[in-house]
Amino acid sequence: MGIQLFKASFDVEACLVQVRECLEKGWTGMGFKTVEFEEAWKKYTGHKYAYYINSNTAGLYMAVDTLKEFYGWEDGDEVISTPLTFISTNHAISKSNLRAVFADVDDTLCLAPKSVEEHITDKTRAVIFVGFGGNTGNFKKIVKLCKDYGLKLILDAAHMSGTRYKDGGCPGTDGDADITVYSFQAVKNLPTGDSGVICTDSAKLDEIFRKKAWLGISKDTYTRTVDKGGTYKWKYDVEYIGDKYNGNAIMAGIALAQLPYLDRDNAYRRTLAQWYTEVFSKYPEQIGLVKISSDCVSSRHLFQIFVKDRDGLMMYLNSNEVYPGVHYVANTDYCMYDYAKGTCPKADFVSKHVISLPMHMGVTFEDVQYITRLVVKYVMEIRSGESYKE
Ligand SMILES: *Cc1c(COP(=O)(O)O)cnc(C)c1O
């Protein structure tokens, strides 16, 4: 089996209780558990509105599309984003016929405020910030920048379920982001099968999301089904060319069963990160670490290091049954976005040298000792202690 990068862990019995309830009730679609989860998520995070959807990708697509329409942006207007992300983030911009403009990252691997500011033009309409690995990076500075320049701000919080500031607040709340989108995909910190949630402080935006995610129809099926008279349940209007992005009760049931474990799991992730860090911090020349912002209690979706020969280390670990990952290849290396290739040197460095080490509930202290021993042996002996820096 070896040690995998990710492995979801579930309270199987609690999940089955939730799923059974859906099956016995005869309601597996939108509504019921999805509404229950939305309430639970609002309470957990402090977001004013939350709409449960079938993925974070759907949420990002809808976020950009809705803002474009709502504020009357033109095709070709610009949204500043990061090259270091899963491709969904940047596709959300392109999908709406807007142009992704890439700013560079800083030592937190999140967008660098200075680089973002340098990329603002009279066509810039918004910024998408990715809380990389659960890190808040310099998000507060980006919030201020967006307010100063009158830009909209979308927070891609796919890695951030459970991330908080030290004062307890969740990033994106209190008007910091216009829209925050979480992922509950199978390997994220709150795993379901596939789902996510789109959050905002704006009642108007929330209302639009609920229509757009359901073909543009202005009433959801559950409301119509429980409509007491029932006489007019076939009557609805269609206001948009919508999509089919809604979440369903089965997934929401699993999310409800898992939510009570999120803080506990994230605390264990932080412990794993600390165990890794204790060993690697002895080799500052050979092993680079990601800077976690001082005001951030990170969900620690990822634990990453930089080494000189990342691909070599990857093969060496694989041959010892450890299976790390890479987050991410700079999106500007893909042909879709290569118009910006080479414009973000820090992101390019990360793309070449970063490796994500196993991070999940099944990784033990002994596993971390085993993995760190292998990494140290590789960089100190096999690669003779060469520096990771360029
Ligand atoms: C996983 C991920 C997404 C996409 O989430 P889905 O729920 O799988 O659509 C978007 N952005 C980032 C940064 C991610 O890691």
Side-chain angles (χ1 to χ4, degrees):
M1 250 306 276
I3 309 172
Q4 304 295 327
L5 172 64
F6 295 133
K7 181 179 183 298
S9 64
F10 294 96
D11 180 337
V12 174
E13 290 313 314
C15 290
L16 291 178
V17 167
Q18 293 281 345
V19 173
R20 174 179 292 277
E21 247 187 276
C22 295
L23 300 179
E24 285 177 348
K25 192 182 176 72
W27 194 273
T28 54
M30 175 168 62
F32 181 39
K33 296 280 178 197
T34 66
V35 177
E36 206 184 307
F37 180 77
E38 287 163 5
E39 292 309 312
W41 191 251
K42 284 194 284 185
K43 195 157 161 250
Y44 178 78
T45 55
H47 290 291
K48 284 208 181 84
Y49 297 91
Y51 175 51
Y52 188 68
I53 49 180
N54 61 21
S55 71
N56 162 294
T57 303
L60 292 172
Y61 282 17
M62 194 158 62
V64 176
D65 176 60
T66 301
L67 290 177
K68 185 188 182 201
E69 195 167 84
F70 196 74
Y71 292 102
W73 302 345
E74 311 264 333
D75 283 359
D77 281 354
E78 297 168 359
V79 177
I80 297 174
S81 181
T82 171
L84 282 190
T85 184
F86 186 59
I87 199 68
S88 307
T89 317
N90 293 314
H91 275 2
I93 301 166
S94 312
K95 186 104 171 127
S96 287
N97 292 324
L98 300 167
R99 186 171 176 83
V101 170
F102 293 95
D104 211 350
V105 299
D106 57 27
D107 291 341
T108 68
L109 303 196
C110 298
L111 278 176
K114 187 166 169 290
S115 181
V116 170
E117 187 162 23
E118 284 165 6
H119 285 83
I120 295 173
T121 71
D122 57 4
K123 289 176 108 183
T124 309
R125 301 290 171 254
V127 174
I128 304 188
F129 185 93
V130 176
F132 200 100
N135 200 353
T136 52
N138 282 299
F139 183 62
K140 289 277 187 196
K141 285 188 185 153
I142 303 282
V143 170
K144 180 161 187 314
L145 205 59
C146 287
K147 292 202 194 312
D148 289 351
Y149 283 87
L151 306 176
K152 297 294 150 197
L153 179 54
I154 296 169
L155 176 59
D156 179 350
H159 299 177
M160 293 183 113
S161 292
T163 286
R164 289 181 187 277
Y165 286 109
K166 287 207 167 129
D167 69 9
C170 281
T173 57
D174 292 327
D176 277 0
D178 293 276
I179 301 171
T180 303
V181 190
Y182 296 87
S183 171
F184 308 132
Q185 187 266 347
V187 301
K188 300 290 159 70
N189 290 38
L190 182 73
T192 60
D194 256 317
S195 62
V197 65
I198 184 165
C199 305
T200 178
D201 285 347
S202 157
K204 187 73 205 157
L205 289 179
D206 181 70
E207 193 189 318
I208 296 172
F209 298 154
R210 284 167 193 274
K211 291 175 193 165
K212 283 202 162 199
W214 184 243
L215 287 314
I217 294 171
S218 58
K219 247 178 158 189
D220 81 48
T221 318
Y222 189 69
T223 318
R224 284 186 282 117
T225 306
V226 300
D227 164 26
K228 283 289 172 274
T231 319
Y232 295 105
K233 65 183 178 190
W234 46 269
K235 256 193 157 183
Y236 52 72
D237 200 7
V238 181
E239 298 175 28
Y240 301 91
I241 304 168
D243 291 285
K244 185 78 173 20
Y245 286 161
N246 62 283
N248 67 66
I250 300 267
M251 287 300 123
I254 294 175
L256 280 165
Q258 294 286 102
L259 184 54
Y261 298 106
L262 182 55
D263 286 340
R264 184 200 67 180
D265 289 359
N266 286 351
Y268 187 65
R269 288 166 179 276
R270 289 191 291 275
T271 302
L272 288 173
Q274 199 186 324
W275 289 338
Y276 278 125
T277 304
E278 274 162 16
V279 176
F280 293 146
S281 57
K282 293 178 199 148
Y283 307 91
E285 268 307 303
Q286 293 80 17
I287 302 172
L289 296 167
V290 178
K291 183 169 180 266
I292 304 295
S293 330
S294 56
D295 60 349
C296 173
V297 185
S298 172
S299 65
R300 272 297 186 178
H301 176 60
L302 300 172
F303 182 84
Q304 301 174 288
I305 56 170
F306 311 112
V307 294
K308 181 76 176 183
D309 179 18
R310 187 267 317 279
D311 295 356
L313 175 61
M314 179 70 88
M315 277 190 283
Y316 179 69
L317 291 174
N318 285 176
S319 70
N320 286 281
E321 293 192 53
V322 177
Y323 303 101
V326 172
H327 299 88
Y328 291 94
V329 170
N331 289 186
T332 47
D333 280 355
Y334 300 135
C335 64
M336 279 286 316
Y337 297 103
D338 65 2
Y339 56 81
K341 194 174 171 67
T343 59
C344 301
K346 176 89 185 169
D348 288 338
F349 175 86
V350 175
S351 179
K352 261 204 331 244
H353 297 281
V354 83
I355 186 164
S356 302
L357 297 177
M359 178 57 103
H360 56 81
M361 295 310 105
V363 180
T364 63
F365 179 75
E366 288 68 34
D367 292 336
V368 173
Q369 301 314 303
Y370 175 68
I371 296 163
T372 52
R373 254 198 319 272
L374 289 171
V375 172
V376 168
K377 181 165 178 195
Y378 186 78
V379 300
M380 297 309 291
E381 293 176 28
I382 298 171
R383 300 293 303 195
S384 324
E386 69 193 334
S387 172
Y388 75 91
K389 295 164 189 163
E390 270 183 353

